[in-house]
Amino acid sequence: MSAKGFPKFQDLPVELRLMIWSFCIPRCRVYEMDLARTDEHLTFPAGAERPRELWASPSGRIPIISRVCREAREVVQKSHFYLTGEEAQTDEDGVPYPPWDAWNTNKPVRLRKGFDVVHLHWHRGYDRHVYLPGAPNPWPSFQWLAKRAAAASLSAESLHPFNYDGNNKAFSPSTTIGYEEVEYFSPQVLYYVVLAIVELHMSDSEAAEAQVFGALGEEPIQLVDPRDTASVRRFRDVWRCRQSRPPSEEPDLAEFFSRATDSAGAFCERVEQWRQELEKVWMWHKCLQLSVPGDVLAEIWAEPAGPAGAPIFGFPTVPSRPIHWTRRELNRQHPWVQTQLGLMPRFEPVLMFRHCNNMCGIAGAGP
Protein backbone atom coordinates (compact mmCIF):
# COMPACT_ATOMS: atom_id res chain seq x y z
CA MET A 1 0.00 0.00 0.00
CA SER A 2 1.29 3.44 -0.87
CA ALA A 3 2.45 5.60 2.06
CA LYS A 4 0.30 8.41 0.64
CA GLY A 5 -2.87 6.45 0.03
CA PHE A 6 -5.39 4.07 1.52
CA PRO A 7 -6.96 2.23 -1.44
CA LYS A 8 -9.11 0.07 0.87
CA PHE A 9 -10.87 3.12 2.30
CA GLN A 10 -13.85 2.78 -0.05
CA ASP A 11 -14.31 -0.81 1.13
CA LEU A 12 -15.09 0.39 4.65
CA PRO A 13 -18.75 0.58 5.71
CA VAL A 14 -20.25 3.96 4.83
CA GLU A 15 -20.98 4.69 8.50
CA LEU A 16 -17.29 4.26 9.35
CA ARG A 17 -16.18 6.42 6.43
CA LEU A 18 -18.52 9.22 7.49
CA MET A 19 -17.20 9.00 11.04
CA ILE A 20 -13.61 9.29 9.78
CA TRP A 21 -14.48 12.35 7.70
CA SER A 22 -16.15 13.95 10.70
CA PHE A 23 -12.97 13.50 12.75
CA CYS A 24 -11.15 15.62 10.16
CA ILE A 25 -13.43 18.63 10.70
CA PRO A 26 -11.79 21.35 12.85
CA ARG A 27 -12.58 21.30 16.52
CA CYS A 28 -14.03 24.31 18.32
CA ARG A 29 -12.97 27.47 16.51
CA VAL A 30 -13.01 31.07 17.70
CA TYR A 31 -14.98 33.45 15.49
CA GLU A 32 -14.07 37.14 15.81
CA MET A 33 -17.06 39.45 15.37
CA ASP A 34 -14.80 42.40 14.63
CA LEU A 35 -11.23 43.51 14.03
CA ALA A 36 -9.00 44.87 16.75
CA ARG A 37 -7.85 48.42 16.06
CA THR A 38 -4.13 49.00 16.52
CA ASP A 39 -4.31 52.37 18.27
CA GLU A 40 -7.02 51.33 20.74
CA HIS A 41 -6.40 47.65 21.35
CA LEU A 42 -2.73 46.75 21.52
CA THR A 43 -1.53 43.21 21.52
CA PHE A 44 0.24 42.24 24.68
CA PRO A 45 2.77 41.90 26.20
CA ALA A 46 2.60 45.30 27.80
CA GLY A 47 5.67 47.44 27.49
CA ALA A 48 6.40 46.59 23.86
CA GLU A 49 8.19 49.40 22.06
CA ARG A 50 5.52 49.66 19.40
CA PRO A 51 2.04 48.22 18.87
CA ARG A 52 1.54 45.05 16.89
CA GLU A 53 -1.27 45.09 14.39
CA LEU A 54 -4.02 42.51 14.31
CA TRP A 55 -5.57 41.19 11.16
CA ALA A 56 -8.55 39.04 10.33
CA SER A 57 -7.98 35.34 10.90
CA PRO A 58 -9.19 32.51 8.64
CA SER A 59 -11.39 30.93 11.34
CA GLY A 60 -14.41 31.03 9.06
CA ARG A 61 -12.88 29.18 6.13
CA ILE A 62 -14.55 26.02 4.89
CA PRO A 63 -12.55 23.03 6.21
CA ILE A 64 -9.90 21.70 3.86
CA ILE A 65 -11.33 18.21 4.12
CA SER A 66 -14.36 19.33 2.08
CA ARG A 67 -12.13 19.46 -1.00
CA VAL A 68 -11.22 15.77 -0.90
CA CYS A 69 -14.39 14.27 -2.36
CA ARG A 70 -18.15 14.65 -2.50
CA GLU A 71 -18.70 12.39 0.50
CA ALA A 72 -16.36 14.46 2.67
CA ARG A 73 -17.95 17.67 1.44
CA GLU A 74 -21.42 16.44 2.38
CA VAL A 75 -20.20 15.60 5.89
CA VAL A 76 -18.87 19.14 6.25
CA GLN A 77 -22.10 20.67 4.97
CA LYS A 78 -24.11 18.67 7.50
CA SER A 79 -21.93 19.59 10.47
CA HIS A 80 -24.45 22.11 11.80
CA PHE A 81 -22.95 25.26 10.36
CA TYR A 82 -24.81 28.33 11.55
CA LEU A 83 -24.50 31.50 9.50
CA THR A 84 -24.09 34.89 11.12
CA GLY A 85 -24.11 38.47 9.92
CA GLU A 86 -26.36 39.34 6.99
CA GLU A 87 -27.13 35.68 6.34
CA ALA A 88 -28.11 34.87 9.92
CA GLN A 89 -31.39 33.13 10.45
CA THR A 90 -34.02 33.38 13.15
CA ASP A 91 -33.44 30.98 16.03
CA GLU A 92 -35.82 28.31 17.28
CA ASP A 93 -37.49 30.78 19.65
CA GLY A 94 -38.27 33.14 16.79
CA VAL A 95 -35.71 35.75 17.90
CA PRO A 96 -33.99 37.32 14.86
CA TYR A 97 -30.33 38.18 14.78
CA PRO A 98 -29.80 41.93 15.47
CA PRO A 99 -27.30 42.92 12.73
CA TRP A 100 -24.35 45.07 13.70
CA ASP A 101 -23.36 47.23 10.73
CA ALA A 102 -20.03 48.49 12.02
CA TRP A 103 -17.04 49.77 10.06
CA ASN A 104 -14.80 47.11 11.58
CA THR A 105 -17.02 44.06 11.11
CA ASN A 106 -15.69 41.03 9.28
CA LYS A 107 -17.71 39.40 6.54
CA PRO A 108 -20.14 36.76 7.83
CA VAL A 109 -18.49 33.43 8.59
CA ARG A 110 -19.77 30.00 9.39
CA LEU A 111 -20.28 29.75 13.13
CA ARG A 112 -21.28 26.29 14.31
CA LYS A 113 -24.14 26.64 16.74
CA GLY A 114 -23.37 25.22 20.17
CA PHE A 115 -19.85 24.30 19.08
CA ASP A 116 -17.73 27.38 18.24
CA VAL A 117 -16.80 30.41 20.35
CA VAL A 118 -17.71 34.00 19.42
CA HIS A 119 -15.16 36.68 20.39
CA LEU A 120 -15.55 40.46 20.65
CA HIS A 121 -12.54 42.80 20.49
CA TRP A 122 -14.62 45.95 20.67
CA HIS A 123 -14.68 48.18 23.74
CA ARG A 124 -15.70 51.77 24.42
CA GLY A 125 -12.30 53.09 23.39
CA TYR A 126 -13.23 52.35 19.78
CA ASP A 127 -15.56 55.33 19.86
CA ARG A 128 -12.63 57.68 20.36
CA HIS A 129 -11.35 57.51 16.79
CA VAL A 130 -11.04 61.00 15.35
CA TYR A 131 -10.98 59.81 11.75
CA LEU A 132 -13.85 57.34 11.85
CA PRO A 133 -17.46 57.61 13.03
CA GLY A 134 -18.33 56.09 16.36
CA ALA A 135 -18.81 52.34 16.20
CA PRO A 136 -22.39 51.15 16.79
CA ASN A 137 -22.97 49.28 20.03
CA PRO A 138 -22.19 45.60 19.30
CA TRP A 139 -23.54 44.20 22.56
CA PRO A 140 -27.04 43.19 21.33
CA SER A 141 -25.46 41.21 18.48
CA PHE A 142 -22.81 39.76 20.78
CA GLN A 143 -25.40 38.75 23.34
CA TRP A 144 -27.53 37.01 20.67
CA LEU A 145 -24.54 35.06 19.35
CA ALA A 146 -23.15 34.26 22.81
CA LYS A 147 -26.34 32.48 23.82
CA ARG A 148 -26.12 30.24 20.75
CA ALA A 149 -22.40 29.55 20.61
CA ALA A 150 -20.58 27.07 22.84
CA ALA A 151 -19.09 30.01 24.75
CA ALA A 152 -18.32 33.70 24.38
CA SER A 153 -15.02 35.51 24.55
CA LEU A 154 -14.16 39.17 25.03
CA SER A 155 -11.14 41.33 25.66
CA ALA A 156 -10.14 42.12 29.23
CA GLU A 157 -10.35 45.81 28.34
CA SER A 158 -14.10 45.41 28.13
CA LEU A 159 -14.27 44.50 31.82
CA HIS A 160 -11.00 45.16 33.62
CA PRO A 161 -7.58 45.57 31.95
CA PHE A 162 -4.76 43.17 32.76
CA ASN A 163 -1.13 44.16 33.20
CA TYR A 164 1.74 41.92 34.18
CA ASP A 165 3.05 44.20 36.93
CA GLY A 166 -0.30 44.45 38.70
CA ASN A 167 -0.68 48.20 38.23
CA ASN A 168 -4.29 48.05 37.10
CA LYS A 169 -5.52 51.38 38.41
CA ALA A 170 -7.93 52.78 35.87
CA PHE A 171 -11.52 51.80 35.35
CA SER A 172 -12.78 54.38 32.88
CA PRO A 173 -15.29 54.53 30.01
CA SER A 174 -12.49 54.38 27.46
CA THR A 175 -11.55 50.84 28.53
CA THR A 176 -14.68 49.26 30.01
CA ILE A 177 -18.37 48.76 29.39
CA GLY A 178 -20.88 51.00 31.11
CA TYR A 179 -22.80 49.73 34.11
CA GLU A 180 -25.99 49.74 32.04
CA GLU A 181 -24.48 47.04 29.82
CA VAL A 182 -24.05 44.54 32.64
CA GLU A 183 -27.48 43.19 31.71
CA TYR A 184 -26.05 41.81 28.48
CA PHE A 185 -24.11 39.16 30.40
CA SER A 186 -25.98 35.96 31.14
CA PRO A 187 -25.16 33.56 34.02
CA GLN A 188 -25.93 30.71 31.60
CA VAL A 189 -23.07 31.66 29.26
CA LEU A 190 -19.39 30.86 29.76
CA TYR A 191 -17.28 33.96 29.08
CA TYR A 192 -13.58 33.72 28.31
CA VAL A 193 -11.77 36.95 29.14
CA VAL A 194 -8.64 37.45 27.02
CA LEU A 195 -5.86 38.86 29.20
CA ALA A 196 -3.27 38.96 26.43
CA ILE A 197 -3.22 38.50 22.66
CA VAL A 198 -0.08 36.80 21.37
CA GLU A 199 0.42 36.59 17.62
CA LEU A 200 2.71 33.90 16.26
CA HIS A 201 3.88 34.72 12.75
CA MET A 202 4.54 31.66 10.66
CA SER A 203 3.60 30.13 7.34
CA ASP A 204 0.53 27.92 6.95
CA SER A 205 2.75 24.87 6.51
CA GLU A 206 4.64 25.70 9.71
CA ALA A 207 1.36 26.08 11.59
CA ALA A 208 0.09 22.72 10.31
CA GLU A 209 3.38 21.03 11.24
CA ALA A 210 3.46 22.62 14.71
CA GLN A 211 0.07 21.07 15.62
CA VAL A 212 -0.76 23.88 18.06
CA PHE A 213 -3.36 25.43 15.74
CA GLY A 214 -5.26 22.24 14.96
CA ALA A 215 -4.22 19.10 13.09
CA LEU A 216 -4.23 20.95 9.74
CA GLY A 217 -3.64 24.45 11.08
CA GLU A 218 -7.35 25.24 10.69
CA GLU A 219 -7.87 26.50 14.22
CA PRO A 220 -5.86 29.74 14.00
CA ILE A 221 -7.06 31.14 17.33
CA GLN A 222 -6.40 29.22 20.52
CA LEU A 223 -7.66 30.20 23.99
CA VAL A 224 -5.35 28.87 26.70
CA ASP A 225 -5.63 29.02 30.48
CA PRO A 226 -2.80 31.35 31.59
CA ARG A 227 -2.14 29.00 34.51
CA ASP A 228 -1.56 26.09 32.11
CA THR A 229 2.17 26.67 31.91
CA ALA A 230 2.81 23.46 29.96
CA SER A 231 0.54 24.60 27.10
CA VAL A 232 2.07 28.08 27.10
CA ARG A 233 5.50 26.46 26.83
CA ARG A 234 4.33 24.54 23.76
CA PHE A 235 3.50 27.81 22.01
CA ARG A 236 6.82 29.27 23.17
CA ASP A 237 8.75 26.34 21.72
CA VAL A 238 6.89 26.62 18.40
CA TRP A 239 7.65 30.35 18.32
CA ARG A 240 11.34 29.67 18.90
CA CYS A 241 11.60 26.98 16.21
CA ARG A 242 9.96 28.85 13.34
CA GLN A 243 11.91 29.31 10.12
CA SER A 244 9.99 32.31 8.76
CA ARG A 245 11.09 34.76 11.47
CA PRO A 246 13.81 34.59 14.14
CA PRO A 247 12.76 35.27 17.77
CA SER A 248 15.27 38.11 17.97
CA GLU A 249 12.93 40.22 15.82
CA GLU A 250 10.19 40.01 18.46
CA PRO A 251 11.62 41.05 21.83
CA ASP A 252 8.15 41.79 23.17
CA LEU A 253 7.14 38.16 22.76
CA ALA A 254 10.38 37.07 24.38
CA GLU A 255 9.43 39.20 27.39
CA PHE A 256 5.93 37.73 27.46
CA PHE A 257 7.10 34.11 27.38
CA SER A 258 9.72 34.85 30.00
CA ARG A 259 7.08 36.14 32.39
CA ALA A 260 4.51 33.45 31.60
CA THR A 261 6.89 30.46 31.75
CA ASP A 262 10.18 31.29 33.50
CA SER A 263 8.30 33.27 36.18
CA ALA A 264 5.14 31.19 36.01
CA GLY A 265 4.45 31.38 39.75
CA ALA A 266 4.42 35.18 39.85
CA PHE A 267 2.44 35.30 36.61
CA CYS A 268 -0.27 33.00 38.00
CA GLU A 269 -0.44 35.09 41.17
CA ARG A 270 -1.02 38.17 39.04
CA VAL A 271 -3.83 36.36 37.19
CA GLU A 272 -5.47 35.52 40.52
CA GLN A 273 -5.12 39.13 41.65
CA TRP A 274 -6.81 40.25 38.43
CA ARG A 275 -9.65 37.77 39.00
CA GLN A 276 -10.33 39.18 42.45
CA GLU A 277 -10.22 42.72 41.07
CA LEU A 278 -12.74 41.73 38.41
CA GLU A 279 -15.14 40.62 41.11
CA LYS A 280 -14.82 44.08 42.68
CA VAL A 281 -15.47 45.72 39.32
CA TRP A 282 -18.56 43.55 38.82
CA MET A 283 -19.86 44.39 42.30
CA TRP A 284 -19.34 48.09 41.58
CA HIS A 285 -21.40 47.74 38.40
CA LYS A 286 -24.16 45.87 40.20
CA CYS A 287 -24.36 48.49 42.93
CA LEU A 288 -24.89 51.16 40.29
CA GLN A 289 -27.31 49.10 38.23
CA LEU A 290 -29.46 48.16 41.22
CA SER A 291 -29.23 51.57 42.96
CA VAL A 292 -28.05 50.09 46.25
CA PRO A 293 -28.88 52.44 49.18
CA GLY A 294 -26.07 54.39 50.80
CA ASP A 295 -26.25 52.62 54.16
CA VAL A 296 -25.81 49.25 52.40
CA LEU A 297 -22.94 50.63 50.32
CA ALA A 298 -21.13 51.56 53.50
CA GLU A 299 -21.42 47.95 54.64
CA ILE A 300 -20.26 46.53 51.29
CA TRP A 301 -17.26 48.76 50.64
CA ALA A 302 -14.82 49.19 53.48
CA GLU A 303 -12.80 52.39 53.53
CA PRO A 304 -9.15 51.76 52.58
CA ALA A 305 -6.27 52.77 54.83
CA GLY A 306 -5.20 55.47 52.38
CA PRO A 307 -6.58 57.35 49.38
CA ALA A 308 -7.85 55.01 46.70
CA GLY A 309 -9.05 57.35 44.01
CA ALA A 310 -12.35 59.13 43.68
CA PRO A 311 -15.35 58.09 45.78
CA ILE A 312 -16.86 55.15 43.96
CA PHE A 313 -20.41 56.42 43.99
CA GLY A 314 -19.85 60.15 43.67
CA PHE A 315 -21.04 60.15 40.05
CA PRO A 316 -23.85 58.35 38.22
CA THR A 317 -21.68 56.32 35.86
CA VAL A 318 -17.91 56.44 36.42
CA PRO A 319 -15.48 57.80 39.01
CA SER A 320 -13.73 61.09 38.30
CA ARG A 321 -10.29 59.63 38.98
CA PRO A 322 -8.78 56.13 38.65
CA ILE A 323 -9.59 53.62 41.36
CA HIS A 324 -6.82 51.52 42.93
CA TRP A 325 -8.75 48.29 43.10
CA THR A 326 -6.07 46.48 45.10
CA ARG A 327 -6.65 49.04 47.88
CA ARG A 328 -10.44 49.06 47.71
CA GLU A 329 -11.81 46.43 50.09
CA LEU A 330 -14.97 44.46 49.32
CA ASN A 331 -16.86 42.92 52.22
CA ARG A 332 -17.24 39.45 50.75
CA GLN A 333 -19.02 38.18 53.89
CA HIS A 334 -21.94 40.54 53.38
CA PRO A 335 -25.10 38.55 52.43
CA TRP A 336 -25.89 40.84 49.46
CA VAL A 337 -22.33 40.47 48.12
CA GLN A 338 -22.43 36.69 48.45
CA THR A 339 -25.76 36.57 46.62
CA GLN A 340 -24.50 38.72 43.76
CA LEU A 341 -21.23 36.79 43.46
CA GLY A 342 -23.31 33.63 43.21
CA LEU A 343 -25.27 35.18 40.33
CA MET A 344 -22.16 36.54 38.65
CA PRO A 345 -21.52 35.05 35.18
CA ARG A 346 -18.61 32.67 34.88
CA PHE A 347 -15.59 34.63 33.65
CA GLU A 348 -12.54 32.49 32.82
CA PRO A 349 -9.18 34.22 32.14
CA VAL A 350 -7.40 33.05 28.99
CA LEU A 351 -4.50 33.92 26.72
CA MET A 352 -5.30 34.23 23.03
CA PHE A 353 -2.70 32.78 20.67
CA ARG A 354 -3.33 33.81 17.07
CA HIS A 355 -1.68 32.40 13.99
CA CYS A 356 -0.74 35.10 11.48
CA ASN A 357 0.88 34.19 8.16
CA ASN A 358 1.71 37.82 7.34
CA MET A 359 4.76 39.87 8.23
CA CYS A 360 2.83 42.41 10.25
CA GLY A 361 4.36 44.05 13.28
CA ILE A 362 7.74 44.49 11.60
CA ALA A 363 8.76 48.00 10.59
CA GLY A 364 8.67 48.34 6.80
CA ALA A 365 6.92 45.01 6.29
CA GLY A 366 3.61 44.82 4.50
CA PRO A 367 0.50 43.25 6.05
Side-chain angles (χ1 to χ4, degrees):
M1 182 177 69
S2 170
K4 296 183 179 181
F6 182 24
K8 296 293 185 178
F9 183 79
Q10 291 299 325
D11 296 337
L12 295 175
V14 61
E15 294 84 0
L16 186 57
R17 294 202 310 270
L18 296 178
M19 183 180 299
I20 293 174
W21 291 129
S22 66
F23 288 153
C24 298
I25 298 175
R27 301 170 300 174
C28 174
R29 295 199 288 190
V30 180
Y31 159 48
E32 296 169 296
M33 279 183 63
D34 59 338
L35 300 179
R37 306 301 300 183
T38 303
D39 56 348
E40 289 293 352
H41 185 113
L42 307 184
T43 51
F44 279 60
E49 294 183 358
R50 51 185 168 72
R52 308 172 56 81
E53 296 191 30
L54 296 178
W55 304 93
S57 65
S59 289
R61 292 178 180 173
I62 300 297
I64 295 175
I65 198 67
S66 65
R67 307 173 189 172
V68 175
C69 63
R70 183 177 63 181
E71 188 175 75
R73 184 163 54 254
E74 290 177 350
V75 171
V76 170
Q77 292 174 344
K78 294 179 180 179
S79 62
H80 307 292
F81 279 121
Y82 190 72
L83 300 184
T84 63
E86 296 176 357
E87 299 177 345
Q89 302 174 5
T90 301
D91 67 7
E92 293 87 343
D93 299 327
V95 180
Y97 171 78
W100 178 42
D101 297 324
W103 44 261
N104 61 349
T105 307
N106 283 339
K107 294 180 179 180
V109 300
R110 297 177 184 269
L111 175 68
R112 288 170 291 184
K113 183 176 181 180
F115 195 81
D116 291 335
V117 175
V118 57
H119 175 79
L120 181 68
H121 286 294
W122 184 92
H123 58 79
R124 283 185 175 272
Y126 279 27
D127 287 337
R128 300 196 302 147
H129 287 280
V130 297
Y131 55 88
L132 288 172
N137 187 344
W139 288 99
S141 301
F142 181 63
Q143 176 195 40
W144 192 90
L145 291 170
K147 290 182 178 180
R148 290 149 186 85
S153 171
L154 68 159
S155 303
E157 286 82 355
S158 295
L159 291 170
H160 183 53
F162 174 81
N163 292 315
Y164 301 138
D165 57 8
N167 290 327
N168 283 354
K169 300 178 181 179
F171 182 46
S172 65
S174 64
T175 56
T176 63
I177 61 171
Y179 77 92
E180 69 277 3
E181 290 164 336
V182 170
E183 64 184 40
Y184 287 122
F185 291 93
S186 170
Q188 287 74 42
V189 176
L190 168 61
Y191 296 95
Y192 295 114
V193 184
V194 176
L195 305 184
I197 301 176
V198 182
E199 282 199 311
L200 300 186
H201 296 83
M202 62 183 71
S203 65
D204 291 338
S205 59
E206 286 178 318
E209 183 178 356
Q211 297 285 297
V212 293
F213 293 107
L216 299 176
E218 293 188 284
E219 301 158 32
I221 301 179
Q222 296 290 315
L223 302 180
V224 177
D225 189 324
R227 297 154 294 192
D228 184 358
T229 307
S231 294
V232 177
R233 285 198 179 105
R234 287 185 61 207
F235 284 94
R236 178 202 61 184
D237 294 342
V238 168
W239 169 71
R240 286 176 173 175
C241 297
R242 297 166 308 167
Q243 300 299 317
S244 57
R245 177 179 295 180
S248 60
E249 294 184 359
E250 298 176 312
D252 53 338
L253 290 188
E255 171 67 12
F256 164 79
F257 282 119
S258 175
R259 288 182 178 271
T261 58
D262 300 338
S263 304
F267 188 81
C268 292
E269 289 179 5
R270 173 67 197 108
V271 172
E272 175 59 23
Q273 176 186 336
W274 173 89
R275 189 191 63 79
Q276 295 183 17
E277 292 172 3
L278 177 59
E279 290 183 346
K280 297 178 184 179
V281 171
W282 184 263
M283 287 297 100
W284 179 79
H285 272 318
K286 296 303 293 186
C287 287
L288 288 174
Q289 182 194 34
L290 301 177
S291 301
V292 177
D295 57 337
V296 179
L297 294 178
E299 298 174 357
I300 294 175
W301 297 97
E303 288 296 326
I312 291 186
F313 302 100
F315 296 87
T317 55
V318 297
S320 60
R321 289 187 291 135
I323 295 175
H324 297 244
W325 289 104
T326 55
R327 297 162 61 184
R328 179 69 67 177
E329 295 298 328
L330 174 66
N331 182 5
R332 298 176 181 272
Q333 302 306 315
H334 193 282
W336 186 89
V337 173
Q338 292 184 348
T339 299
Q340 292 302 320
L341 287 177
L343 297 174
M344 181 178 174
R346 181 183 171 189
F347 294 113
E348 290 292 338
V350 294
L351 302 174
M352 176 183 283
F353 290 92
R354 300 174 84 257
H355 168 223
C356 178
N357 57 12
N358 297 318
M359 295 297 288
C360 53
I362 294 296

